[in-house]
Amino acid sequence: MVTMPTGPSLPFATAPFAGTTARLIDQSVPSRPTVALPSPDAPNIVLILLDDVGFGTCETFGGPVPTPALDRVAANGVRFNQFHTTALCSPTRAAMLTGRNHHAVHMGNIPEGASAFPGYDCIIPKEAATFVEILRQYGYSTGAFGKWHVTPAHEQSLSGPFDRWPTGLGFERFYGILSAEASQYEPPMFDQTTPVMPYEGRDDYHMSEDIATKAIDWMRLQRASNPHRPFFTYLATGAMHCPHHVWPSYIERFKGQFDDGWDALRERVYRRQLEMGVIPPGTTLTPRPAEVPSWDEYPDKYKPVASRLMEVFAGFMAHTDEQVGRLLDSLDAMGVTDDTMFIYITGDNGASAEGTVNGAWSAPSFQNGLPEDPEWLLSHMDDFGTARCENHYNLAWAWALDAPFQWMKQVASHFGGTRNAMAVQWPKRIVEKGALRSNFHHVTDIFPTVLEAAGIEAPQYVNGLAQMPIDGVSMLPTMTSASASEAHNTQYFEMFGNRAIYHDGWIASCFHGRVPWKRFDTVPFDGPQEKWELYDIRNDFSQGNDLSQVHPEKLQELQQLFDEEARRNNVYPLKEPIQGFGPTFAVPDSLGGLSKMTYTTVNIRMPERSVVNLKNCSFRITAEIDVPESGCEGVIVAQGGNMAGWSLYVGGDGRPRYHYNWFGHEHSVAVACEKLSPGRRTVVIDHAYDGGFGAGGDSVMSIDARPVGHVRIERSVPVIFSISGETFDVGLDSGAAVGDYPHIYRFTGQIHGVTLERLSEPSAAVRELIADAEFRASLAVQ
């Protein structure tokens, strides 16, 4: 027996025919098909989400970076100074799109860190439909442009499944990246589900500019093609996540502005926030944690490096806001500004301290838990902001830009990790221009806000599936009335063991003790470093006055409430980033544990997790190719990019090369002692690993079973080549070049297949060759 759903449901795709049919047309009565359309008063909606921007970054909220587009939205609408995120990117995006808490929709981490527990497998359940899917089925045109980062790692290959790509979660149009971060100059872009390389052959390409242009073009197309359908546009920039890439002219605007350091910057931001009224009078500027170095104690030698890294970040922020301004201009030009709700959220978490104490030139270095020598940064300052590096500023700048709060990104216990500046305009409905709202809100509130604005009641069933309860509340009353009462009364926070619970003006907070820039550190849960604090944020905006000793009963009450919310939302087990890995905790794997696979030229833009893993082991790479009579050159196979990876390619001289790139710092290259002759050839790389974690080894190259090259690799990348979307490609290198060869560098011969194979140990013959000094000397290339 089939029971029909009760309560609100989505509209039928095809309405019943209202006319009559007979055998002949003159005896029949036609009836125009009904097309689902929302209410005539439903607005267009534009949602902007920036990445890794602290509360005190933008000038609109007291920060050092002029943000005229954010100023414009704030002046034409309202600002929010108590809007919260989850403290990490993918969890915030999942919570925002579904209206449910991030662990409840299985996104307790980023997909790259998923593990086999309900709150952490990063597989959004279909019982948590996005508000975008609901808008689409009610007649909205829907488009997403930029960063996505909520597709499970095992579903990111070009063979799908695609139901958790943007096009499977409600977006009719997608143009952007799936990954956590990307080079702004060579990003791994997708058009719908097809990889594209819009930067090919260009030296003027920038991802932020590209996605803004595509969003504007799509809105114009939609207006001209379907003027009676409102649109929903989601622009999620890769900025301000590292790498901090921007044109030199933007960097130079800020030259010298940060030479007095992060402590002075934080003080300036705080004073300006008070003057502007974006924080209440009497707000405490919380002190610098002991783990964050002061500017005075930071070595003078490296202060120019730190200042320059911050100048680059500021230029990047100014450039990003400029792109948002282009969208505002386009709405004005189309004459739809009054009928458009424009939501500008300046970050998915607080400012990022992942760049370590000294900053970073190569992002994969700190992502592998290996901070760089500041001497390297000092000698490579000219690279900052360019495609030659993936730079990130010093951790203390993040603390400064999160003024007046404690901590930063990842630290969900304190507002430095979760409080993000936001402004909203909707001229037709928001009449109190330039107002400030201090109601407590959370990113889950975007879902019900958008639906209420569109005149849609959240359906109990979507695509035949009963839906999970919605955790968010509508912000529309707060947007339109200064007297709106508090509606979001309870909210838990948790990220990597940092946890808190807000309830009716109070918040209990527990910093777990692992600092964000020490990725693979671990400290015990409930250990001596953990301490629960209590704050009355109605009178303590910045969590500056711990009342745990004054009101122990209130703290105990909130701790119990956190436990209840944690159990309800799949928060347990509490875990750190390093915990929950290995076979016992494994999430689905597209390879299914295979240690050998053959790839062909259809295999491009393959995520690292979907390819045979050649790290921390001996391995063999076998390439079967045809060499034309005229010779050949180009990349046979490559993985990673210019900051870490490996490549097997043929140079312009006709000789194959195997290039291993250790964080852009060390380049180890085996060059064949002879050219490839025409015909069918087998090129093999046999790597004998020393053993251990991130250790070195020897690689031997052979052509048709004849040894022709050797290289000693002193150390290897232990965990990941890239989370910036530098991928695995056969027949080209689609991103930033691993080695010293032209961009993309397509192979001009024919590739029959490339086989990757993990080995328990190399062959005895390879070991013998490596041990033979005479053999190694014979392969020396002059």
Side-chain angles (χ1 to χ4, degrees), residues 331-369:
L331 297 175
D332 288 346
M334 289 187 287
V336 298
T337 295
D338 285 354
D339 295 318
T340 301
M341 173 188 273
F342 196 100
I343 305 170
Y344 191 162
I345 305 172
T346 63
D348 51 359
N349 40 246
S352 170
E354 293 156 342
T356 74
V357 172
N358 295 305
W361 179 86
S362 172
S365 65
F366 67 78
Q367 290 158 357
N368 282 268

Side-chain angles (χ1 to χ4, degrees), residues 165-199:
W165 287 49
T167 52
L169 288 176
F171 287 102
E172 297 167 320
R173 179 79 177 96
F174 171 61
Y175 181 80
I177 61 172
L178 297 179
S179 53
E181 64 185 43
S183 165
Q184 293 291 323
Y185 304 121
E186 299 152 316
M189 301 296 284
F190 286 89
D191 191 331
Q192 304 297 83
T193 59
T194 300
V196 293
M197 292 178 282
Y199 43 81

Side-chain angles (χ1 to χ4, degrees), residues 196-311:
V196 293
M197 292 178 282
Y199 43 81
E200 185 172 5
R202 294 178 56 183
D203 60 6
D204 63 346
Y205 178 87
H206 195 286
M207 175 182 158
S208 297
E209 297 170 6
D210 184 20
I211 60 175
T213 298
K214 290 295 194 297
I216 291 166
D217 289 348
W218 177 78
M219 290 190 293
R220 289 172 175 163
L221 175 66
Q222 193 277 343
R223 283 291 80 195
S225 305
N226 284 287
H228 301 297
R229 291 180 68 191
F231 57 77
F232 171 71
T233 302
Y234 174 42
L235 182 76
T237 63
M240 297 294 297
H241 202 293
C242 80
H244 300 158
H245 282 163
V246 71
W247 309 118
S249 60
Y250 289 86
I251 301 170
E252 292 310 307
R253 295 182 191 178
F254 297 92
K255 189 171 181 61
Q257 293 189 23
F258 308 105
D259 288 351
D260 54 353
W262 41 71
D263 296 285
L265 173 61
R266 185 172 166 93
E267 287 280 351
R268 284 199 303 275
V269 170
Y270 168 67
R271 289 195 300 270
R272 181 170 167 81
Q273 289 171 333
L274 287 172
E275 292 166 3
M276 295 175 64
V278 295
I279 63 176
T283 295
T284 299
L285 179 61
T286 56
R288 177 171 36 80
E291 297 88 342
V292 176
S294 71
W295 184 252
D296 286 345
E297 70 182 285
Y298 194 68
D300 289 342
K301 183 179 182 180
Y302 305 126
K303 285 178 179 177
V305 176
S307 297
R308 188 60 172 176
L309 287 168
M310 182 59 205
E311 291 166 7

Side-chain angles (χ1 to χ4, degrees), residues 646-773:
W646 58 267
S647 177
L648 176 60
Y649 67 100
V650 181
D653 59 1
R655 294 191 291 186
R657 291 160 168 80
Y658 174 66
H659 188 126
Y660 193 88
N661 180 335
W662 188 83
F663 302 129
H665 289 231
E666 297 175 7
H667 296 266
S668 307
V669 185
V671 183
C673 61
E674 61 185 58
K675 296 181 179 181
L676 285 167
S677 57
R680 178 83 175 234
R681 297 287 170 258
T682 301
V683 182
V684 174
I685 303 298
D686 275 301
H687 182 73
Y689 188 59
D690 292 346
F693 186 71
D698 288 85
S699 293
V700 174
M701 179 193 297
S702 62
I703 299 175
D704 298 336
R706 186 177 64 261
V708 295
H710 164 267
V711 66
R712 171 67 189 171
I713 298 169
E714 294 300 334
R715 42 191 173 177
S716 61
V717 175
V719 180
I720 191 167
F721 291 125
S722 169
I723 64 169
S724 64
E726 295 289 358
T727 53
F728 174 87
D729 304 296
V730 176
L732 73 162
D733 185 345
S734 67
V738 172
D740 184 18
Y741 48 75
H743 194 206
I744 298 178
Y745 205 29
R746 288 179 171 84
F747 186 63
T748 58
Q750 181 180 0
I751 301 172
H752 297 284
V754 176
T755 301
L756 307 189
E757 182 179 6
R758 286 179 65 92
L759 302 174
S760 57
E761 59 182 30
S763 68
V766 169
R767 285 289 192 196
E768 289 176 8
L769 282 172
I770 293 168
D772 187 342

